Structure formats: C-alpha cells, structure tokens
Amino acid sequence: MKQNHAIEIFSAGCPLCRHITDEVEIGKCEGCSQTVYDINNMTDGVKRKMRDYGITSVPATIIDGNIKVVGIPDFPWICSDELYQKLKKEYPLRKS
C-alpha cells in the first residue's frame, strides 16, 4: 500500500529553488503534501525548522522529517515506494 508523505521545501525563490519546487509538485502523488517555506520571509517557525533539520543552504527538501535532500538531485522526483526507500537509504536526515 502506498504511503502519503509530507514534503517540506526550503526555498529562496531563486531559479534553482523554483526548479526543485516545480519538479516535486509535478512528481508527487495526490496523497502527498507539499509545503514551501520562503526563507526571504523568515518567521520564528521557519528558523526553528531550519535549525532542527540542520539546513544551511537552499534548496533543501525534507520528507517526513527523516529524509534531507539538499540542492538539485540527480534523480527524477516520481512518487513511489521505491524512490522513498532509496531516499531513506541515501539521504537520511542526521540530527546534530
């Protein structure tokens, strides 16, 4: 059974950030949620999330609070259980 995932993207609105935001939007399934945080309009909540996730550059994508992909990945964002398992293995979020 396919799982639904929470996808959080930290963006500065630059062309690279817009590229990853658009790519994830196109590739995610209907059940997955996508939230984009604009670091140009920093709030205390966004600062806290960035600190908790250890984000120091954008674009950065967090999936379910346990996968962290920074920059433009070299794989297509096509929602599937196989992709999620690959990301869990290759891009684990390491909390400091």
Side-chain angles (χ1 to χ4, degrees):
M1 174 182 253
K2 191 170 187 58
Q3 296 178 352
N4 296 329
H5 302 285
I7 304 166
E8 300 173 275
I9 302 172
F10 293 81
S11 167
C14 66
L16 290 176
C17 293
R18 286 192 305 271
H19 172 78
I20 194 63
T21 300
D22 292 347
E23 195 169 296
V24 171
E25 178 65 34
I26 291 167
K28 74 176 184 62
C29 69
E30 188 176 301
C32 292
S33 66
Q34 177 178 338
T35 304
V36 178
Y37 299 106
D38 181 358
I39 65 165
N40 294 309
N41 299 310
M42 191 73 73
T43 64
D44 288 339
V46 172
K47 285 180 191 176
R48 191 171 24 262
K49 281 185 171 286
M50 289 180 73
R51 187 173 45 251
D52 291 347
Y53 293 144
I55 293 173
T56 57
S57 62
V58 293
T61 305
I62 305 294
I63 303 171
D64 295 340
N66 61 19
I67 295 171
K68 177 179 170 184
V69 180
V70 178
I72 303 296
D74 61 353
F75 55 84
W77 283 93
I78 300 172
C79 192
S80 69
D81 291 332
E82 293 81 21
L83 176 63
Y84 183 74
Q85 293 306 317
K86 171 187 165 99
L87 296 178
K88 271 179 66 172
K89 182 179 177 186
E90 296 180 16
Y91 298 93
L93 175 65
R94 301 192 197 297
K95 303 220 177 187
S96 15

